[in-house]
Amino acid sequence: MDFAERYSRQVLFPPVGAAGQQQLSEARVALVGCGATGSALASLLARAGVGYLRIIDRDYVEPSNLQRQLLFDEADAAESLPKAIAAARKIAAFNSAIAVEPHAADLTPGNAEELLRDVQLILDGTDNFETRYLINDFAVSRQLPWIYSAAVGSYTVTMNILPGETACLACVFPESPRGMVETCDTAGILNSAVNAVASVAATETIKLLVGARDKLRRTLLSYDVWTNDRAEISTATPRPGCRACGQRDFVHLAGEGRPHITLCGRNSVQIHERQRPVDFDEVSRRLTPHGPVRHNQFVLKFWREPYELTLFPDGRAIIKGTTDTAIARSLYARYVGS
Ligand SMILES: [Zn+2]
């Protein structure tokens, strides 16, 4: 497909123009988390012609995702495809000219360097502050810009972090903010809120990639699509004494990793203690006497009432049906191995 024809309407927008479009085609962006906000970000940026997208997501597609996660469909949910893989397939169908590198993985201090290197910008499509603080530490330590985005209920919030210029996430939220502890599990979420915040963040991304730095917003912007309440707090200058950008104490990046994580939106626990590959055929044979089991090349699913275990090739598992890490750990030890 002809490059000029494909992007003609965006090139006609003067601040992008032909030169900006060329810069977009050479740009390299990492997206951490490809759920609702991440799907919208990936879709907008892939269609806009961002040349390289690295998509990192630890989760798989489920029916309850389809209300708001625009890159996925019923077939993806039926197959329990990892979101990163499903996203790469969808993007290839509407823009085969860009490169998408999917990683079905959980971002941790141990793999942050490998998963976030060689990009110009990191985008936040996650649902938790633990991962955001890790992204912030990595980005600030490498002088790499990143964009924080979140949506819960009808409320959205986003902020550009330009290390060396603006405040960082730890300047604004030294601790995980109380209000945002409420997750989509308890509050529910409107798909329009997700798309609103993704649209703002995708626009900031394009400004940054085409070199329009003077147009980048230097505030924490919050907007409620239901009440129309809107607020902005200046983030133009770092907070003196900030742990991350001031003291350069990168505790989240130095961490030893996290053995268990309770996922957002679900009654489930993630376990990734075992850092060695598993053989799906072998595990499948072993589990068959204990309950229904099926697998494809990306995931293995096993049902043992009231639990559902989803296993990834690197040994990581998501156990649904409990938030008790002790129960999850014992199920994992019994059915996968220790
Ligand atoms: Zn800071």
Side-chain angles (χ1 to χ4, degrees):
M1 192 178 290
D2 185 63
F3 184 84
E5 169 70 15
R6 175 185 282 266
Y7 301 112
S8 56
R9 301 305 186 274
Q10 189 165 276
V11 167
L12 279 171
F13 179 68
V16 175
Q21 193 62 52
Q22 185 60 35
Q23 285 173 297
L24 292 178
S25 75
E26 292 162 8
R28 296 173 63 85
V29 173
L31 170 63
V32 183
C34 196
T37 312
S39 269
L41 283 168
S43 181
L44 290 168
L45 296 174
R47 287 181 192 275
V50 170
Y52 172 90
L53 283 173
R54 189 179 301 144
I55 298 178
I56 302 145
D57 190 282
R58 66 189 182 192
D59 211 351
Y60 57 92
V61 183
E62 293 186 284
S64 67
N65 300 152
L66 303 179
Q67 167 254 355
R68 65 196 175 284
Q69 304 190 10
L70 301 184
L71 277 177
F72 311 131
D73 60 32
E74 292 177 1
D76 300 327
E79 273 192 83
S80 302
L81 271 188
K83 290 180 184 179
I85 304 290
R89 287 185 181 177
K90 289 291 158 18
I91 292 169
F94 66 74
N95 194 348
S96 56
I98 65 162
V100 178
E101 188 186 308
H103 290 270
D106 187 28
L107 185 75
T108 65
N111 63 18
E113 173 68 40
E114 181 200 336
L115 292 175
L116 300 178
R117 70 181 172 196
D118 301 331
V119 295
Q120 289 158 265
L121 172 71
I122 303 168
L123 296 176
D124 168 24
T126 70
D127 57 10
N128 66 88
F129 257 79
E130 194 172 14
T131 309
R132 289 179 180 126
Y133 283 130
L134 173 59
I135 296 171
N136 189 66
D137 273 9
F138 182 86
V140 170
S141 73
R142 307 294 196 280
Q143 294 278 102
L144 197 62
W146 76 280
I147 301 178
Y148 158 58
S149 307
V152 177
S154 55
Y155 176 80
T156 70
V157 59
T158 179
M159 169 187 177
N160 302 329
I161 290 100
L162 306 170
E165 293 180 43
T166 69
C168 79
L169 189 70
C171 289
V172 179
F173 303 111
E175 307 289 336
S176 183
R178 192 179 286 270
M180 297 304 291
V181 170
E182 188 174 44
T183 68
C184 40
D185 196 17
T186 54
I189 189 159
L190 291 181
N191 58 17
S192 52
V194 168
N195 282 267
V197 76
S199 289
V200 172
T203 310
E204 296 297 306
T205 297
I206 289 171
K207 291 182 201 175
L208 190 125
L209 297 177
V210 304
R213 276 183 101 91
D214 60 320
K215 296 292 182 205
L216 287 169
R217 207 189 58 255
R218 284 165 166 79
T219 66
L220 177 84
L221 168 67
S222 64
Y223 180 62
D224 188 311
V225 295
W226 195 263
T227 64
N228 294 311
D229 289 331
R230 183 184 188 284
E232 280 187 273
I233 299 165
S234 174
T235 55
T237 50
R239 178 174 55 81
C242 169
R243 190 253 321 147
C245 68
Q247 301 170 27
R248 303 191 70 78
D249 176 11
F250 303 119
V251 286
H252 298 277
L253 191 55
E256 286 302 304
R258 300 154 292 179
H260 317 288
I261 296 171
T262 302
L263 296 184
C264 169
R266 283 202 255 135
N267 180 26
S268 61
V269 174
Q270 173 184 247
I271 292 194
H272 54 142
E273 290 174 304
R274 171 172 155 157
Q275 290 296 327
R276 58 194 153 98
V278 290
D279 178 344
F280 281 174
D281 288 325
E282 187 270 320
V283 175
S284 186
R285 267 194 305 276
R286 204 152 40 73
L287 290 177
T288 299
H290 303 286
V293 55
R294 67 179 165 85
H295 70 92
N296 55 32
Q297 76 184 104
F298 306 108
V299 289
L300 178 146
K301 298 199 81 140
F302 169 63
W303 290 266
R304 177 89 184 176
E305 287 297 326
Y307 309 109
E308 177 187 305
L309 183 144
T310 303
L311 187 64
F312 296 87
D314 62 359
R316 190 168 57 88
I318 294 173
I319 293 161
K320 198 168 163 183
T322 184
T323 50
D324 184 331
T325 55
I327 291 174
R329 176 177 266 175
S330 94
L331 287 165
Y332 186 93
R334 187 183 326 162
Y335 295 114
V336 184
S338 47

